[in-house]
Amino acid sequence: MNKKDVLEIKRRFKKEQATFSRIAGCYVDGNKNKVCTFNEPFLNQEDDVFFKYLEIANKALSGTLNNNLLNLEFPLSEEVPGGRQQFLMGIRECGLTSDALMDSWYDMVISQIEITGNYLILVFADAYDVPMKTKDDLKLGESEEIYKYILCAVCPVILSKPGLSFLEKENRIGARIRDWVVGVPEAGFLFPAFSERTTDIHSVLFYTKDPKNPHTDMIENVLGCGSVMTNAEKKNAFHTIVREVLGPDDEDTEDKLLAIQKSISDMNEEYEEAYEDTAVQPMALTHETLSRALSESKILQEKADRIVDFVNRTFGEMLPEASAVVDSHALKSGGLKLENKELMHELAEKTLEAEHLKKELDEEKKLSVAPSLKKCLRPFKAVDAERILSWVNDERTFQYWSVGRYPAFPAQPEDMVDLYRRSENGSDNFYPMTAFDEQGIFGHLILRYMDEERKHVRLGYIVVDDKRRGQGLGKILLKLSVRYAKQFLGAEKITLGVVDRNLSAAKCYEAAGFREDPSQPIETVEMLGENWNIIGMRYEG
């Protein structure tokens, strides 16, 4: 059943629309003894009782789908004589008029569910003359079918609280008389389901007041259906997985969990906007969606893989909706904290960038470089990607530069950003950099540590603006990167690799102080139908 189906049935639970034919009930004490039973016409009830019953019926179909309201299917084994679906079919067909059948059913319910204290089992019987509707939901007045159903509600019966009251007969204030009060339903169900405005005898809509602790005993033992997780349970399971993998005692765990939820929420909003005018299923928390959220939240790859594995094992093929694992209240209250943290992180990066630039400018002053010719390095930004990729505009040059690390030629800016995001993976071992001067950006490369001691730095993805060739920019880019590696990364060994066929690049690297390094093994790759050798080079000064 969807939301519209539920609302169509609930609209009947009003004084003017209610057509319940009978109501039956069984009052059970805390020792599972049947105290009393009743079975009577519904429309003959006194007004106070009538409205209270309607309130209970409404509550038994309240809440949100997949959280308080669960669509369940009967296994085939329950649809044969003696099965629990067949039991419910009998109750439905007799319209609650068989006291013997109702007593047998009460006995089964009492023996199979666990509820502390006294409770009342209520069963309503109704027949709905379903009107035909146009595609615009306009009623035509003619009947499509008669939907016969029963609605069950299990309500706690609680002793009223002690208090003072006016004792009219004695004309004084005294202790009030405590009595037993029927509360709102703890659990219930609608059988058969009303799916897409028609009877579905193979399904039942189950209600639970507390989605964190649904009455699985009633789902499995009374209805004979397999239990399913509510959205609240799915959210709790997902959050538990993330906390356990990241470390429950890590002070950053809650911030990271919040960041993951924000990423999932943002993707879900994009999905809903894209399919706003179409009838599509809600976005599921697929492997791709979760992996992207973990990557955007800078979760280390090893931990991200564990989270994905645990999620797959927990949910299997029954993937939760993306929105189900997001705590909207926590996200709203923690959003400001998260934004402040991101701003502080961005400010720290800007400060570091400014310090780097200042040191480079100071160094250039020492070298007496004219102000108009100053060249600097700064961290790579996503907006640089489109410009950088335009410098490698033929496939051979592109493969000399990337050696097959991109999925296709030509690469798209988002491919570059994604590649670097996956390479960074929340660590501080990978540094994509962009070179610029007064004319704009002119070069790009990455630096990454190759050892745990953080003494060996390797350069890669080296490229300069092809429209500014002949200005010595390649040599300048390498000199800037060597200086950066030594001053800021503490490098004692700086290496790079070059395709043996890329003679112009090898010549540029030699001019910048790099020499072929025999200690580095030669790697052979097949590209463009040719065998290419990757020659290792080391900076000698």
Side-chain angles (χ1 to χ4, degrees):
M1 292 178 64
N2 57 35
K3 188 175 181 179
K4 287 179 66 176
D5 295 331
V6 174
L7 290 176
E8 184 168 352
I9 299 300
K10 285 187 67 175
R11 277 194 286 268
R12 300 176 50 74
F13 302 164
K14 297 178 182 178
K15 171 73 173 176
E16 298 77 14
Q17 284 80 31
T19 59
F20 289 124
S21 57
R22 298 191 71 80
I23 184 168
C26 177
Y27 178 38
V28 185
D29 68 18
N31 295 317
K32 295 194 172 187
N33 298 311
K34 286 193 287 187
V35 178
C36 76
T37 61
F38 59 91
N39 192 329
E40 53 200 31
F42 183 81
L43 298 178
N44 294 343
Q45 305 293 325
E46 296 178 359
D47 280 354
D48 288 348
V49 177
F50 184 93
F51 286 117
K52 183 61 183 178
Y53 279 147
L54 286 183
E55 180 184 331
I56 291 173
N58 267 291
K59 285 292 185 181
L61 288 183
S62 63
T64 56
L65 284 166
N66 300 320
N67 209 34
N68 304 95
L69 298 171
L70 303 175
N71 284 295
L72 306 175
E73 293 185 358
F74 292 103
L76 292 177
S77 59
E78 297 296 340
E79 296 190 0
V80 298
R84 278 159 282 196
Q85 185 256 17
Q86 288 292 295
F87 208 152
L88 295 176
M89 287 290 288
I91 295 174
R92 169 182 177 255
E93 290 305 317
C94 78
L96 313 186
T97 57
S98 173
D99 288 335
L101 187 60
M102 295 306 299
D103 281 339
S104 296
W105 190 71
Y106 295 147
D107 290 338
M108 189 265 286
V109 173
I110 295 168
S111 67
Q112 296 297 332
I113 65 174
E114 293 296 332
I115 294 182
T116 303
N118 301 0
Y119 60 91
L120 174 64
I121 304 171
L122 282 177
V123 186
F124 303 79
D126 191 17
Y128 173 34
D129 194 358
V130 184
M132 292 183 66
K133 287 187 178 182
T134 66
K135 292 182 179 179
D136 299 326
D137 277 348
L138 297 176
K139 291 184 179 180
L140 297 179
E142 300 177 9
S143 174
E144 281 190 305
E145 68 171 279
I146 303 295
Y147 168 57
K148 292 181 63 177
Y149 66 94
I150 57 174
L151 176 68
C152 173
V154 180
C155 309
V157 179
I158 307 165
L159 188 63
S160 61
K161 294 181 179 179
L164 296 176
S165 68
F166 175 65
L167 305 179
E168 188 174 0
K169 290 183 179 181
E170 301 176 25
N171 195 33
R172 68 181 180 87
I173 299 298
R176 63 175 291 185
I177 299 173
R178 300 178 67 186
D179 53 4
W180 293 92
V181 180
V182 177
V184 296
E186 289 278 342
F189 64 84
L190 175 73
F191 173 81
F194 184 65
S195 302
E196 297 184 356
R197 307 193 71 242
T198 191
T199 303
D200 180 5
I201 63 172
H202 306 292
S203 302
V204 59
L205 184 68
F206 178 76
Y207 166 78
T208 178
K209 179 184 176 184
D210 183 3
K212 293 181 180 178
N213 296 291
H215 284 273
T216 54
D217 50 356
M218 191 167 182
I219 293 175
E220 297 175 353
N221 303 330
V222 174
L223 299 176
C225 299
S227 61
V228 297
M229 297 177 73
T230 65
N231 282 351
E233 289 179 302
K234 293 173 184 176
K235 179 172 65 179
N236 183 60
F238 178 75
H239 288 198
T240 299
I241 289 170
V242 173
R243 288 189 177 103
E244 288 299 320
V245 172
L246 297 184
D249 299 326
D250 189 333
E251 60 182 12
D252 291 331
T253 292
E254 292 305 313
D255 288 340
K256 291 176 181 176
L257 176 57
L258 203 62
I260 294 169
Q261 292 180 81
K262 185 177 186 304
S263 177
I264 293 173
S265 178
D266 290 343
M267 282 188 276
N268 191 53
E269 287 182 9
E270 292 172 6
Y271 179 88
E272 290 178 346
E273 289 176 4
Y275 297 99
E276 184 176 6
D277 299 324
T278 58
V280 296
Q281 294 293 325
M283 187 178 85
L285 187 69
T286 62
H287 176 97
E288 294 75 16
T289 301
L290 179 55
S291 297
R292 177 181 164 188
L294 295 171
S295 176
E296 290 180 349
S297 305
K298 299 187 182 301
I299 305 301
L300 291 174
Q301 192 61 49
E302 181 264 332
K303 292 189 174 182
D305 290 341
R306 288 177 59 200
I307 290 173
V308 171
D309 179 55
F310 282 131
V311 167
N312 288 339
R313 282 194 274 170
T314 299
F315 298 108
E317 296 181 358
M318 303 298 292
L319 295 175
E321 295 175 12
S323 59
V325 302
V326 175
D327 187 334
S328 56
H329 296 294
L331 195 59
K332 186 175 181 180
S333 60
L336 184 60
K337 176 184 176 183
L338 196 61
E339 289 176 9
N340 288 339
K341 187 171 183 179
E342 290 175 350
L343 288 173
M344 292 298 293
H345 181 69
E346 185 177 344
L347 178 61
E349 285 187 344
K350 294 291 185 184
T351 303
L352 181 62
E353 180 181 333
E355 291 175 353
H356 288 177
L357 293 178
K358 182 177 183 303
K359 289 183 179 180
E360 289 179 357
L361 291 173
D362 290 343
E363 187 67 21
E364 288 184 352
K365 285 180 182 178
K366 294 178 183 178
L367 297 174
S368 301
V369 178
S372 61
L373 298 178
K374 287 177 181 176
K375 309 285 191 287
C376 301
L377 280 180
R378 64 161 172 78
F380 164 83
K381 300 177 181 178
V383 294
D384 301 337
E386 183 174 4
R387 180 79 182 278
I388 292 168
L389 290 173
S390 72
W391 300 338
V392 281
N393 47 28
D394 69 86
E395 188 168 7
R396 180 168 288 272
T397 302
F398 177 79
Q399 297 300 354
Y400 279 165
W401 173 66
S402 63
V403 196
R405 289 181 175 83
Y406 282 84
F409 171 79
Q412 302 303 312
E414 55 266 28
D415 296 332
M416 187 176 194
V417 173
D418 184 60
L419 175 64
Y420 287 175
R421 184 186 291 117
R422 285 186 283 108
S423 298
E424 287 176 332
N425 193 29
S427 70
D428 58 351
N429 294 324
F430 185 87
Y431 303 87
M433 307 295 288
T434 299
F436 69 96
D437 59 13
E438 71 280 357
Q439 297 183 45
I441 67 172
F442 69 82
H444 169 72
L445 83 170
I446 63 99
L447 302 90
R448 68 179 185 274
Y449 285 113
M450 300 298 290
D451 59 344
E452 293 183 358
E453 292 76 21
R454 300 167 72 87
K455 298 298 182 183
H456 177 192
V457 170
R458 190 169 182 85
L459 312 183
Y461 297 109
I462 304 165
V463 64
V464 296
D465 188 344
D466 60 334
K467 296 181 178 59
R468 295 180 62 183
R469 286 177 181 155
Q471 300 180 21
L473 296 181
K475 182 178 178 180
I476 293 173
L477 174 63
L478 289 165
K479 289 291 186 183
L480 289 172
S481 64
V482 167
R483 184 190 308 159
Y484 186 93
K486 289 183 175 181
Q487 291 183 356
F488 301 116
L489 302 183
E492 296 178 2
K493 177 182 178 180
I494 304 171
T495 62
L496 55 77
V498 61
V499 176
D500 57 355
R501 297 167 181 263
N502 194 357
L503 301 179
S504 59
K507 184 177 179 181
C508 173
Y509 301 159
E510 288 179 354
F514 286 83
R515 299 291 180 267
E516 185 172 342
D517 183 5
S519 67
Q520 296 185 51
I522 296 176
E523 180 185 358
T524 301
V525 296
E526 184 177 345
M527 298 297 301
L528 304 179
E530 304 169 349
N531 289 326
W532 293 358
N533 294 322
I534 311 298
I535 307 299
M537 303 185 75
R538 178 171 179 167
Y539 182 72
E540 302 290 350

